[in-house]
Amino acid sequence: MAPVQAPPSQQLPAVQKLRVRFAKRGRLRFTSHRDFQRAFERAVRRAELPVAFSHGFSPHPKISYAGAAPTGAASEAEYLEISLTHERDAEQVRAALDEALPPGLDVLEVVVAGPGALAERLEASEWRIALPGVDPEVAAAAAVEAFLAREEILVERMTKRGLRSFDCRGAVLRLTVAHEPAPVATCAILQVVLRHGTPAVRPDDVLAGVLEVATLPVTGPALLTRLAQGPLIAATGTVDDPLARDRDATQATATGQVGPHQTHPAEGDAAAPSVP
């Protein structure tokens, strides 16, 4: 078996790049991005993956992260890329990493990277916001209507550079009250699609905007869950699967055929509507 980590003087070139989709669930949603980085690097060592290292005075594992969810938010759609010095079967890598990570940090899928940059595909995210104590049919519906009726809603958030004010309305492509089972008896579920941009608008910013235009009797902490992130489908205001092209590329290599995601530009490349 190839060494997990080659000494700096004997670094091997990367021959395979894998893209990983993982979830943050339960109490592990409070894991910060830096905490997850440390946990994942330890998992790579436990799984004995031949990870490639950068060159230079201080080599580090070639692992890149894209579109990380904020601390405290759960997610079913977090992504990263890892480069290996020896080829490995994607499903075996998934199983090994999932076994090495604690429950709640769950590796859902690993695919061989195809052409194109993963970060460029992450154009939008779909979120679920659970609001305990809020009636979905009356209070939540009225709040959503009031939010969508505004062209601009300013909210404030503390950043590294101090308190910052910005518009949270422009990034919202779709906001609805979902009709699905709630975690508690009286609980409204909001579903929102957010365009990624600068400044980055987060689901808690949207919630702050909703509370700015409507009074909601929220009785507990809101539970934020990212359901998906990927290319934006402009016609419907929904989010596509960012790994679909990679699966198509792998299938095309195996069969000698070209998949649909390779022959046509992504629907998210088109201009997105400014309002739902």
Side-chain angles (χ1 to χ4, degrees):
M1 179 177 292
V4 176
Q5 177 176 342
S9 61
Q10 302 177 16
Q11 288 183 38
L12 300 176
V15 299
Q16 184 184 48
K17 180 185 288 185
L18 300 176
R19 288 172 175 159
V20 180
R21 176 189 170 211
F22 64 95
K24 292 170 56 179
R25 296 166 171 162
R27 297 177 63 184
L28 271 296
R29 70 183 186 274
F30 296 107
T31 304
S32 71
H33 181 56
R34 183 170 296 181
D35 290 338
F36 176 78
Q37 285 180 300
R38 289 194 290 262
F40 187 78
E41 290 182 15
R42 288 195 295 267
V44 167
R45 292 194 293 270
R46 293 193 191 102
E48 298 185 338
L49 296 182
V51 61
F53 279 74
S54 63
H55 297 277
F57 181 76
S58 180
H60 59 273
K62 287 190 174 182
I63 304 173
S64 59
Y65 304 85
T71 303
S75 178
E76 295 295 315
E78 299 299 286
Y79 294 94
L80 62 83
E81 295 178 312
I82 180 170
S83 297
L84 303 181
T85 59
H86 294 77
E87 291 191 2
R88 291 288 186 267
D89 177 75
E91 175 55 28
Q92 291 180 359
V93 170
R94 186 208 64 77
L97 287 174
D98 192 53
E99 178 68 23
L101 285 167
L105 295 177
D106 304 320
V107 180
L108 305 179
E109 184 178 11
V110 176
V111 300
V112 177
L118 175 62
E120 293 179 357
R121 302 179 193 174
L122 304 181
E123 300 172 327
S125 289
E126 181 177 359
W127 290 87
R128 178 172 60 210
I129 305 175
L131 302 176
V134 178
D135 177 76
E137 301 297 333
V138 180
V144 167
E145 183 177 358
F147 182 94
L148 296 177
R150 300 277 288 272
E151 294 186 359
E152 181 183 73
I153 301 175
L154 297 179
V155 296
E156 293 182 337
R157 187 207 305 159
M158 184 62 68
T159 68
K160 294 180 180 179
R161 298 182 179 181
L163 191 63
R164 184 174 184 181
S165 176
F166 57 94
D167 173 35
C168 72
R169 175 64 183 89
V172 176
L173 302 173
R174 182 163 56 88
L175 177 63
T176 59
V177 180
H179 299 283
E180 61 179 72
V184 294
T186 303
C187 182
I189 306 293
L190 305 184
Q191 282 190 270
V192 58
V193 175
L194 289 174
R195 187 205 312 270
H196 296 173
T198 304
V201 176
R202 309 186 316 198
D204 50 329
D205 298 324
V206 176
L207 178 57
V210 170
L211 296 177
E212 179 73 19
V213 300
T215 301
L216 294 177
V218 182
T219 58
L223 177 58
L224 312 176
T225 304
R226 173 144 57 190
L227 304 177
Q229 68 170 323
L232 175 64
I233 303 177
T236 59
T238 55
V239 180
D240 202 359
D241 182 358
L243 301 184
R245 297 187 206 176
D246 302 307
R247 297 189 205 94
D248 288 346
T250 300
Q251 183 178 9
T253 301
T255 63
Q257 299 177 350
V258 179
H261 283 82
Q262 293 174 280
T263 56
H264 303 287
E267 293 177 297
D269 294 339
S274 58
V275 294

